Amino acid sequence: MGDIIYSVYGETRHVPYYHCASNFSPDQSHHLVLLHGARFTKEDWKSSGIFETLCSNPHVSVSAMDLSIEAGHRDIAGMLSAMKEEAQINLPVTLITPSASGMGIVDWMSNGRLPDLPKYVQKWIPVACFAVSAATEDQLARLSRLEHFDVLAIFGSKDRGGRDISTRLEDYVGARSLELDGGHACYLDSPHEFSSAVLKFLG
């Protein structure tokens, strides 16, 4: 456990996190970065067993972050760059954004330089990410045209809104979608199935 420190608009920000390294060098590893929704923290990745399960794969490094759900694309870029400088990860990463934490990627679509996104994130796993509803069809279409960028949209069987968001990502971004048993926080309701799906998506 530690803090990642980075600056945005001249303001220094601290993000507490948990990290486990892979058994291989950074250029031979998959790097997973886990954010969290509004009602949760990095602790939920540990208490659910998901962090431990993902860390048990020797080819994967995992970082569970307490990044604010209000963080924009500059925060994500700054945080990931700082993690790379500390040799915790290699870029690009796979980013998991449950619920409100997906706002950072949506902000990248609307306010950032979208062609830069794959330099930081090569695979995106939004889980019932309602922020996607704020993106225009044109923004989603531009996301779909990025090279070396894949999306797996996950939703719970009891979460109609999450299903609608996943369908939108399928239609406009070409995302793969996956239904898990559970509600809005389906990754916590079905942690084993979620972990298996993430590792399969990594390839």
Side-chain angles (χ1 to χ4, degrees):
M1 181 175 175
D3 278 19
I4 286 293
I5 302 172
Y6 66 95
S7 295
V8 173
Y9 301 119
E11 177 185 338
T12 300
R13 299 182 180 177
H14 297 250
V15 180
Y17 73 108
Y18 290 120
H19 179 78
C20 68
S22 81
N23 293 346
F24 296 86
S25 63
D27 60 341
Q28 294 179 313
S29 304
H30 294 288
H31 302 275
L32 271 171
V33 176
L34 319 177
L35 305 186
H36 61 76
R39 296 188 296 112
F40 303 98
T41 71
K42 68 183 187 305
E43 303 299 333
D44 294 284
W45 291 113
K46 293 198 78 173
S47 62
S48 65
I50 294 172
F51 186 80
E52 181 180 3
T53 299
L54 295 175
C55 288
S56 68
N57 187 302
H59 293 275
V60 176
S61 76
V62 185
S63 303
M65 317 300 297
D66 261 343
L67 184 67
S68 168
I69 60 169
E70 297 177 357
H73 72 283
R74 293 181 184 272
D75 290 277
I76 291 177
M79 179 187 72
L80 294 178
S81 295
M83 294 171 73
K84 181 182 180 182
E85 289 175 8
E86 293 192 11
Q88 298 282 20
I89 62 170
N90 203 24
L91 297 177
V93 303
T94 295
L95 184 66
I96 300 179
T97 62
S99 191
S101 63
M103 179 56 74
I105 297 297
V106 174
D107 179 61
W108 213 315
M109 285 187 248
S110 58
N111 298 313
R113 188 175 184 277
L114 195 58
D116 287 343
L117 176 56
K119 299 176 185 177
Y120 296 90
V121 179
Q122 65 179 349
K123 294 179 184 288
W124 179 34
I125 305 178
V127 183
C129 176
F130 289 125
V132 169
S133 61
T136 67
E137 293 178 8
D138 178 66
Q139 288 168 346
L140 293 171
R142 288 192 290 116
L143 188 68
S144 73
R145 292 193 289 270
L146 291 178
E147 296 183 359
H148 311 297
F149 186 80
D150 298 313
V151 182
L152 172 64
I154 297 178
F155 63 96
S157 57
K158 302 177 180 68
D159 183 13
R160 177 179 290 184
R163 181 190 301 273
D164 291 343
I165 290 298
S166 292
T167 298
R168 193 163 196 250
L169 287 168
E170 277 188 281
D171 291 345
Y172 293 105
V173 182
R176 284 173 267 180
S177 67
L178 175 67
E179 178 182 309
L180 296 180
D181 185 43
H184 185 57
C186 59
Y187 60 106
L188 299 178
D189 295 328
S190 298
H192 177 73
E193 292 79 6
F194 174 81
S195 301
S196 296
V198 168
L199 292 174
K200 182 178 180 180
F201 185 54
L202 291 181

